[in-house]
Amino acid sequence: MRAQGRIGVDFGSTSLCHVVSGQTDGTIEFAKGFAIWDLSPGHYILHAAGSVVIDLDGKELSLDYDLDSLEDISAQ
């Protein structure tokens, strides 16, 4: 029997929230010009629900983005 699942084709935080709600089994996001504020709200919600965001090497991405100032945020 073939495995079934749903891969999200949404964008930004919306795709991560769809994983949290069970509407999508997983999502993949490639860097294509999103700013950090496009993804970090969904990352936080996913983390609060007990899940993780990983990079393509399988390493968990931390919620600590090393942002200490508005200039740091703008540089992202």
Side-chain angles (χ1 to χ4, degrees):
M1 185 169 154
R2 197 170 108 191
Q4 295 185 13
R6 297 164 298 212
I7 300 297
V9 292
D10 300 307
F11 56 90
S13 288
T14 302
S15 64
L16 297 175
C17 290
H18 284 168
V19 173
V20 171
S21 68
Q23 295 174 336
T24 302
D25 294 319
T27 188
I28 188 165
E29 182 67 52
F30 294 99
K32 56 185 175 211
F34 282 113
I36 196 167
W37 51 82
D38 292 327
L39 296 174
S40 58
H43 186 182
Y44 177 81
I45 292 167
L46 192 75
H47 179 78
S51 293
V52 296
V53 174
I54 60 172
D55 64 16
L56 292 175
D57 295 321
K59 181 181 172 191
E60 182 177 343
L61 297 179
S62 171
L63 283 172
D64 182 2
Y65 294 108
D66 294 321
L67 303 173
D68 296 319
S69 67
L70 291 176
E71 290 79 23
D72 289 345
I73 295 170
S74 297
Q76 297 292 319

